[in-house]
Amino acid sequence: MTAAAPIYGRVALIGLGLIASSMAHAMRAGGLAGHIAGHARTAETRAVALDIGICDSVHDTAAEAVAGADLVVLAVPVGAMGAVAAEIAPHLAPGATVTDVGSVKQAVIEAVGPHIPEGVHFVPGHPIAGTEHSGPRSGFATLFRNRWWLLTPLPGGDGDAVARLRRLVEAFGANVDEMDAPHHDLVLAVTSHTPHLIAYTMVGVADDLRRVTDSEVIKYSAAGFRDFTRIAASDPVMWRDVFLTNREATLDILGRFTEELFALQRAIRLGDGPHLHAYFTRTRAIRRGIIEAGQDTAAPDFGRVGAAKGQGD
Amino acid sequence: MTAAAPIYGRVALIGLGLIASSMAHAMRAGGLAGHIAGHARTAETRAVALDIGICDSVHDTAAEAVAGADLVVLAVPVGAMGAVAAEIAPHLAPGATVTDVGSVKQAVIEAVGPHIPEGVHFVPGHPIAGTEHSGPRSGFATLFRNRWWLLTPLPGGDGDAVARLRRLVEAFGANVDEMDAPHHDLVLAVTSHTPHLIAYTMVGVADDLRRVTDSEVIKYSAAGFRDFTRIAASDPVMWRDVFLTNREATLDILGRFTEELFALQRAIRLGDGPHLHAYFTRTRAIRRGIIEAGQDTAAPDFGRVGAAKGQGD
């Protein structure tokens, strides 16, 4: 990132979790905003934001935070977007752009869209970036580098507003794609929502099983299970809202998943080695594609370092 | 690891993949074996082993490799263990120990046990360590550090043989636990076998879906899916054999998994937010346990580094 003229004079971040705090760090690093105003629901988060200095001003209400902002970023759980939009609507500056970072797009458009006043531009968005950590202290400026930031502009929306937002997120180092909201929600059901649900389920099963102790699960997790626990450590409120609001696409992909799982389960029961071998061979190619596309490391075991006490001995 | 007197005078590695080559590196690093003999099924693997110098001698047959060995390590896919045991049995030295590194223990005991001659000690084992890479070039000396190495000694077996093998793997930096084979197979069904099957299934579903292209799956994989692809890139022959030989325990845990998944699916369909939130909160605790036990890194996103082109810019 190089220092440049600010792309927005005043940016308001509503919600100060992992994504918003990473945006704040990236905007500061690149000189991309003249002023960063912030609001978070809890006094505790607001105090942390002040303490670590990610915002130029921190406000007790979202309405105050958005006053005079050129860009308003809704970075709250998907289920809270509608109420926030209703609250800020009367305070939005004419010509401002409102965007969001929700993992679901159709539900956000339905919840937020009706509140956006004439003359304000709503450009829904979703950065495909994150870690299993949450809260204002978890953000960092490089979170979005070489990650994809999807925009789902509304039909008939303002092209200039989209282009300006695009410049901002590209300045974060992100790649931008545009698509319609229903397709976004289906793609994310495959690459994110269903994998998360499955990981949560597997960790829950392990935790529940009387015949295998939690201590055994923890000690022997390096055999594969621990990768699931990272995913299943993500923010529960955010994920509850994702499943409640991307219900149809998630249930659709879950149906496909259980169908395939039953076919493999049947192959195991019948001892059908060739079926299993063919399936397990095919899935290797997708991994190669992800590494070639620069979306993951080729290092064994993700190049985990310092994973274990004494590993650096 | 510190240099010490060799624990075994001559070690024969049958199969020269990730685990055996890592054992070879660790034995060399620690001066733990007087001579390392190796055998692999294919001429290509044998040539690589000679080329990279992980063995002192490489043999065309397993029978030649085990001659005079104090310790024989069966490091072939679980489905190949019985045939290898039958081949080497007449050539095993009296007093030798035979161990294996298979991910399933009951099936290996049934396949190998009957071939072991009087006066030779069979100590089944399983290092809970690995990466998604395979083959002789993928091994490294520190693979076993702070990982668990499970032994499932047979009732009435030789205590000294177990203790000596234990000293070897502890010298690799591994922690040792002993348990009976059926319990091992159940624990691994939870921590490894079922998670792998689920990951393979999810990757297969994504690959199959006509409405979402492979290119989209690859580009947007950072949202969670890419962790599954790492697991689903593991050796297909090894995993085919795991499922064929640990059938009962895997089907048992899979049944539990689908039951839980259906309950969560139902909660999504009914819009039961409290159920989802409670479930997703509970699973966070297991992750904390794994990090506290030193079995994974607390760094966000596994501390992935250099994952993406340009990320170091």
Side-chain angles (χ1 to χ4, degrees), chain A residues 70-74 85 88 92 96-100 112 116-117 120-125 165:
Chain A
D70 304 294
L71 176 68
V72 174
V73 181
L74 307 181
I88 63 172
L92 292 168
T97 294
V98 174
T99 189
D100 77 294
V112 171
I116 302 294
V120 170
H121 312 295
F122 178 38
V123 185
L165 180 60

Side-chain angles (χ1 to χ4, degrees), chain B residues 153-173:
Chain B
L154 302 172
D158 185 82
D160 289 345
V162 175
R164 192 173 171 194
L165 179 61
R166 198 175 170 127
R167 275 201 292 140
L168 178 74
V169 305
E170 284 174 350
F172 296 163

Side-chain angles (χ1 to χ4, degrees), chain A residues 27 39 52 65 106 113 190 211 235 241 252 264 294:
Chain A
M27 286 189 284
H39 163 73
I52 63 178
Q106 278 174 286
V190 176
R211 290 166 297 156
D235 184 41
D241 285 1
D252 177 2
L264 286 171

Side-chain angles (χ1 to χ4, degrees), chain A residues 104-111 152 181-186 245-246 249:
Chain A
V104 177
K105 296 273 60 77
Q106 278 174 286
V108 169
I109 290 169
E110 284 161 24
T152 61
H183 189 67
H184 169 278
D185 290 357
L186 178 66
T245 57
N246 197 20

Side-chain angles (χ1 to χ4, degrees), chain A residues 128 131-134 145-148 150 177 179 183 186-187 190-192 194-198 200-209 211-212 216-237 239-240 243-244 247 251-254 256-258 260-262 264-265 268-269 271 273 276-277 279-284 286-287 289-290 292-302 304-305 307-309 311 313, chain B residues 128 131-134 145-148 150 177 179 183 186-187 190-192 194-198 200-209 211-212 216-237 239-240 243-244 247 251-254 256-258 260-262 264-265 268-269 271 273 276-277 279-284 286-287 289-290 292-302 304 307-309 311 313:
Chain A
I128 313 288
T131 76
E132 70 276 26
H133 297 183
S134 42
R145 280 218 201 146
N146 198 34
R147 295 278 90 91
W148 288 88
L150 301 181
D177 260 355
M179 59 179 67
H183 189 67
L186 178 66
V187 170
V190 176
T191 59
S192 180
T194 308
H196 272 80
L197 193 74
I198 290 165
Y200 276 120
T201 305
M202 187 66 232
V203 175
V205 166
D207 185 36
D208 255 358
L209 212 67
R211 290 166 297 156
V212 177
E216 286 176 316
V217 166
I218 286 167
K219 281 158 74 180
Y220 313 134
S221 65
F225 180 75
R226 64 178 176 173
D227 289 11
F228 282 61
T229 65
R230 186 188 77 82
I231 293 182
S234 303
D235 184 41
V237 171
W239 283 100
R240 177 199 64 194
F243 295 117
L244 294 178
R247 186 188 311 207
L251 292 176
D252 177 2
I253 302 304
L254 266 178
R256 289 294 313 264
F257 172 82
T258 46
E260 288 282 320
L261 187 63
F262 286 158
L264 286 171
Q265 187 168 328
I268 293 173
R269 199 181 295 281
L276 296 172
H277 186 263
Y279 202 96
F280 301 164
T281 302
R282 183 164 67 86
T283 52
R284 271 190 154 176
I286 287 259
R287 177 74 186 166
I290 288 172
E292 282 160 17
Q295 292 298 310
D296 205 350
T297 173
D301 217 8
F302 303 124
R304 274 185 176 97
V305 282
K309 290 169 200 156
Q311 207 164 49
D313 290 356
Chain B
I128 313 290
T131 75
E132 70 276 27
H133 296 185
S134 42
R145 280 217 199 147
N146 199 33
R147 295 279 90 90
W148 289 88
L150 301 181
D177 260 354
M179 58 178 66
H183 189 67
L186 178 66
V187 169
V190 176
T191 58
S192 180
T194 307
H196 271 79
L197 193 74
I198 291 165
Y200 276 119
T201 305
M202 187 65 231
V203 176
V205 167
D207 185 35
D208 255 357
L209 213 68
R211 289 166 299 156
V212 176
E216 287 176 315
V217 166
I218 286 168
K219 281 158 74 179
Y220 314 134
S221 66
F225 181 75
R226 63 178 175 173
D227 289 12
F228 282 62
T229 65
R230 187 187 76 81
I231 293 180
S234 302
D235 183 41
V237 172
W239 284 99
R240 176 199 64 193
F243 295 116
L244 294 179
R247 184 187 313 208
L251 292 175
D252 177 1
I253 301 304
L254 266 178
R256 289 295 312 268
F257 173 82
T258 46
E260 289 282 319
L261 186 63
F262 286 157
L264 286 172
Q265 187 169 328
I268 292 174
R269 199 180 296 281
L276 295 173
H277 186 262
Y279 201 96
F280 300 163
T281 303
R282 184 164 65 86
T283 51
R284 271 191 155 176
I286 287 260
R287 177 75 188 165
I290 287 172
E292 282 160 17
Q295 292 299 309
D296 206 350
T297 172
D301 218 7
F302 302 124
R304 271 184 179 101
K309 290 170 201 158
Q311 205 163 52
D313 291 356

Side-chain angles (χ1 to χ4, degrees), chain B residues 4 12 28 32 68 97 99 107 115 155 222 258 276:
Chain B
R28 280 216 195 285
L32 304 171
T97 294
T99 189
H115 298 290
T258 46
L276 295 173

